[in-house]
Amino acid sequence: MSQSLLFAFLLFVSVMFFTPGPNNIMLLSSGLTYGFRRTLPHMAGVILGGAFMIGAVGLGLGAVFIAYPVLKTILKYAGAAYLIYLAAAIAMSGAAKMDPDSRRGPITFWGAVIFQWVNVKAWVMVIGTITAYAAIAAFPWNIAIETGISLMMGILATTTWALFGSSLRPILTSPPKVRAFNIAMAFLLVASLYPVFADA
């Protein structure tokens, strides 16, 4: 990978990973509601799920979406529906009780992995990575490099957002404040769907 291509890709993934989006908003809310440690499986699912998408699409899965473009439409609207469901769940959640037997908890590792496949922002990042920065015909190792960089950026971004959320716990101490914060995060999550319907 050339130095200019690498620099451009680093800038691209930095913007994609660190700016507000469905993953980061949910991690922020989870960090506040459940704490950093209980959010770790969610973080791991985002990191590994996103990196796996880049690798899988770059190594040939993208051809399936080219052959069957209706799949992208199905994923787009399935993702929007799931995002609305998650927004409702976040809006209705208050501060987590310290009950180990409580059935309510943060998103699981596999839930976060699967969510990447219906996350509109994740698809923007993956498609941008493969079409604009991979140049796989001439440089097949670019996919491996970009997957590795995405893993590192994912670790930094998810840690930042989850820690930001958990750092708010001493400030937002009452259940009504936590509920109000989560409702605001739910609205932001729904607002992140704007590109889906603007492009419809």
Side-chain angles (χ1 to χ4, degrees):
M1 178 180 285
S2 68
Q3 187 174 359
S4 59
L5 187 64
L6 178 61
F7 178 78
F9 179 69
L10 284 171
L11 183 61
F12 171 73
V13 291
S14 295
V15 171
M16 294 306 296
F17 272 106
F18 282 93
T19 53
N23 281 324
N24 291 336
I25 292 169
M26 287 190 291
L27 286 168
L28 176 65
S29 179
S30 183
L32 169 68
T33 306
Y34 303 107
F36 182 78
R37 189 166 67 174
R38 291 187 68 188
T39 303
L40 285 171
H42 183 176
M43 293 165 56
V46 171
I47 295 163
L48 296 176
F52 177 77
M53 277 181 71
I54 291 174
V57 174
L59 294 175
L61 189 58
V64 175
F65 292 98
I66 293 173
Y68 303 98
V70 69
L71 291 176
K72 285 197 285 189
T73 302
I74 292 171
L75 277 175
K76 182 167 71 171
Y77 287 100
Y82 186 53
L83 213 56
I84 291 170
Y85 162 76
L86 289 174
I90 289 172
M92 292 186 292
S93 66
K97 297 178 181 178
M98 300 308 292
D99 178 7
D101 297 323
S102 176
R103 297 175 66 183
R104 186 166 60 89
I107 294 177
T108 64
F109 170 80
W110 287 110
V113 169
I114 293 169
F115 174 68
Q116 303 317 302
W117 291 90
V118 293
N119 180 359
V120 175
K121 188 178 180 184
W123 276 108
V124 170
M125 183 185 73
V126 169
I127 292 170
T129 296
I130 301 307
T131 58
Y133 300 101
I136 59 176
F139 306 104
W141 284 106
N142 282 1
I143 293 297
I145 294 170
E146 290 168 351
T147 301
I149 290 172
S150 296
L151 278 170
M152 291 185 287
M153 284 292 184
I155 291 170
L156 292 173
T158 57
T159 301
T160 299
W161 282 89
L163 281 175
F164 180 37
S166 63
S167 71
L168 294 174
R169 300 189 94 189
I171 301 170
L172 302 177
T173 52
S174 67
K177 289 180 180 178
V178 174
R179 175 64 60 82
F181 178 85
N182 283 339
I183 289 173
M185 292 302 100
F187 275 114
L188 286 176
L189 203 54
V190 173
S192 72
L193 287 172
Y194 173 76
V196 175
F197 297 105
D199 189 45

